[in-house]
Amino acid sequence: MMTDTIPGIHHVTSIASDPQANVDFYTEVLGLRLVKRTVNFDDKFTYHLYYGDETGTPGTILTFFPFVGATKGSVGAGQTTATAFVVPPDAIDYWLDRLDDLGVDRDDPEERFGETVLPFRDHDGQPLELVAGESPVEPWAEGPVPAEYAIRGFHGVTLHTTDPESTAAVLETMGFEREAADGDRVRYRASGDRASVVDLLAREGPRGRQGVGTVHHVAFRTPDDERQRAWRERLTDAGLSVTPVKDRQYFRSIYFREPGGVLFEIATDPPGFTRDEDAAELGSALKLPPWLEEEREMIAEQLPPISTPGETA
């Protein structure tokens, strides 16, 4: 059975605190679209919020489990330590002014592998980056950020692995190729046209602790169920413990923890976020999987109200 190669990142999922603060930051500060409001299928009284471009194209999707009152985590070894978005090459000055005007915690821009990188943190302290570069992704045009400066999906992620050699071997099994090295950072790139970069950090440091402000897992793309099954076989044959296929409604997923400590997922591109909402209505209503519909009223009562701009919570 053919596996091809992994073309890039499908989505990144993180842990947040207050869900309304989460919506406000990612729609009003970063200008992303809330493309789905549903619940954590393993914890039905917690939201699962998805942000991305107009339709949540694979390679643009940042998702959150917002746990009200949860303990703050710490970012460190064994984790994804930064999630990077692409912005147009001349957009960094705009974003410097925007982040400062909105009181966002940021660092000064730096150069990395010939690209300008602007590191900053969200309201929960999660490390994020804007990278000046090219992307085929069309931005969400109805947010507060002018389209000429808007985010165009992911650039990639940085993994602070506890076992760089073994993590690199897993990435190479998935089809990533070593591209360059700079100090303790090694860049791997997938074959796709977007969200294709994974940087590995090989450095000493304390282990990260999962909690608010940290990444839960990184999901990589595969185009269909057949190739996902092939990946499951191949990764299992490589000695990794891979879960059975799980139906996440908007994609199907398998999970495994790579030897360096980071939880990986391989998710199918289809069926996508328009399977239960029209494109124009994405993110406007609470959507539940069929097995939770009978509990809709009880679940909705347990969830804190949230609203996007123009809505009433």
Side-chain angles (χ1 to χ4, degrees):
M1 190 177 291
M2 192 172 173
T3 53
D4 294 325
T5 59
I6 294 292
I9 294 167
H10 184 282
H11 67 268
V12 176
T13 293
S14 300
I15 300 172
S17 57
D18 177 66
Q20 184 62 59
N22 186 259
V23 171
D24 292 345
F25 186 88
Y26 285 94
T27 62
E28 287 296 279
V29 176
L30 296 193
L32 302 177
R33 186 183 190 188
L34 177 65
V35 294
K36 192 65 62 180
R37 63 179 84 188
T38 183
V39 297
N40 182 336
F41 294 169
D42 301 315
D43 180 0
K44 60 191 177 187
F45 299 123
T46 297
Y47 280 115
H48 194 176
L49 304 176
Y50 293 76
Y51 305 89
D53 66 354
E54 181 175 6
T55 58
T57 305
T60 75
I61 314 158
L62 183 59
T63 99
F64 287 90
F65 302 133
F67 294 102
V68 178
T71 302
K72 187 170 177 56
S74 61
V75 178
Q79 290 184 332
T80 300
T81 54
T83 302
F85 300 97
V86 179
V87 294
D90 58 354
I92 292 295
D93 286 344
Y94 168 85
W95 280 99
L96 280 169
D97 291 341
R98 181 173 181 80
L99 297 183
D100 287 347
D101 289 346
L102 296 173
V104 176
D105 181 25
R106 70 163 178 87
D107 299 331
D108 291 332
E110 59 188 69
E111 293 295 314
R112 184 186 302 159
F113 298 113
E115 298 170 324
T116 302
V117 180
L118 173 56
F120 65 105
R121 286 153 290 280
D122 76 2
H123 55 292
D124 286 322
Q126 179 183 191
L128 302 168
E129 296 172 336
L130 297 175
V131 180
E134 302 292 341
S135 169
V137 172
E138 292 293 327
W140 170 233
E142 296 185 31
V145 179
E148 62 190 294
Y149 304 120
I151 286 172
R152 286 155 165 76
F154 292 128
H155 177 269
V157 292
T158 298
L159 310 181
H160 184 174
T161 170
T162 62
D163 186 347
E165 187 173 333
S166 296
T167 303
V170 172
L171 289 174
E172 289 168 356
T173 298
M174 294 163 62
F176 282 77
E177 294 187 356
R178 189 181 194 276
E179 184 176 80
D182 184 4
D184 59 4
R185 180 182 293 266
V186 181
R187 173 153 296 181
Y188 286 80
R189 190 179 292 274
S191 59
D193 64 353
R194 60 186 183 273
S196 58
V197 169
V198 173
D199 284 353
L200 296 187
L201 295 181
R203 66 179 59 161
E204 297 296 323
R207 291 292 297 252
R209 185 181 69 252
Q210 192 170 89
V212 170
T214 65
V215 172
H216 186 269
H217 64 264
V218 178
F220 298 92
R221 298 174 55 197
T222 194
D224 53 43
D225 296 306
E226 180 183 9
R227 273 171 276 199
Q228 185 184 63
R229 287 192 294 271
W231 278 114
R232 188 173 187 278
E233 291 181 14
R234 184 171 179 181
L235 293 166
T236 300
D237 290 345
L240 296 162
S241 179
V242 187
T243 69
V245 175
K246 297 179 182 294
D247 183 2
R248 299 311 189 189
Q249 290 292 285
Y250 311 107
F251 42 84
R252 284 168 287 280
S253 302
I254 56 176
Y255 301 85
F256 62 98
R257 194 169 296 280
E258 57 84 26
V262 182
L263 183 62
F264 281 3
E265 171 183 349
I266 295 179
T268 58
D269 282 356
F273 295 99
T274 56
R275 68 165 294 171
D276 59 0
E277 282 179 300
D278 292 338
E281 302 298 325
L282 285 175
S284 61
L286 177 65
K287 309 304 291 186
L288 297 174
W291 62 87
L292 292 179
E293 276 296 345
E294 290 188 357
E295 301 178 84
R296 170 175 285 276
E297 184 175 353
M298 179 185 64
I299 291 170
E301 288 177 352
Q302 296 289 324
L303 295 169
I306 58 172
S307 64
T308 54
E311 295 180 328
T312 301

